[in-house]
Amino acid sequence: MNTERYALGVAVGDGKLFAVGGDDGNHKSRDYLHPYILKSGEYLDLKNVDAGWTKLPDMNTARYGLGVAVGDGKLFAVGGHVYSKRLKSGEYLDLKKMDAGWKKLPDMNTKRDSLGVAVGDGKLFAVGGYGDGCNTLRNGEYLRIAM
């Protein structure tokens, strides 16, 4: 990858490996006004690995501990946290119109960090993770994504 990342979201789809968000680990050189939690993402074309990683448009929200999935021609990024704030928001990138940037999804019912995410049967699933107060969640929810 071009950017060091941990607590990132990773997904494979559309012949690409996506790496999105996370933390660059560079805490000592940053302060609150210059956050280390990333909005950036990149992908590797699995049919042309030698070409290296290509930058994606930045997400609207920096996310650490997010869930990522690919389906229906879109890359989805949901949940995670920014500093001590857990997120229930999500966004998607249309892989056929990447230059249009990320679009907002309806909020989840529950704030989720370190969640599992999958796409299937025309739905985006968000399962488990940490909720408010570091409570471990055992529930899930879904959003119909046939757009």
Side-chain angles (χ1 to χ4, degrees), residues 48-124:
N48 190 11
V49 174
D50 292 337
W53 291 84
T54 302
K55 184 173 175 17
L56 289 168
D58 283 353
M59 292 183 290
N60 297 311
T61 302
R63 297 174 186 276
Y64 167 96
L66 68 159
V68 174
V70 177
D72 195 32
K74 296 171 180 67
L75 173 62
F76 297 91
V78 297
H81 70 268
V82 177
Y83 304 104
S84 60
K85 180 183 174 188
R86 287 198 166 74
L87 302 171
K88 61 181 179 177
S89 64
E91 48 195 300
Y92 71 92
L93 182 66
D94 187 326
L95 298 176
K96 292 176 179 52
K97 302 175 190 172
M98 284 198 234
D99 291 339
W102 292 81
K103 306 291 183 208
K104 185 172 175 19
L105 288 168
D107 283 351
M108 294 183 287
N109 295 317
T110 303
K111 295 177 182 178
R112 296 176 186 274
D113 170 27
S114 303
L115 65 157
V117 176
V119 173
D121 294 329
K123 298 178 183 108
L124 172 64

Side-chain angles (χ1 to χ4, degrees), residues 37-51:
I37 298 173
L38 302 170
K39 290 183 173 185
S40 65
E42 50 195 309
Y43 69 89
L44 185 64
D45 185 335
L46 298 176
K47 295 176 184 154
N48 190 11
V49 174
D50 292 337

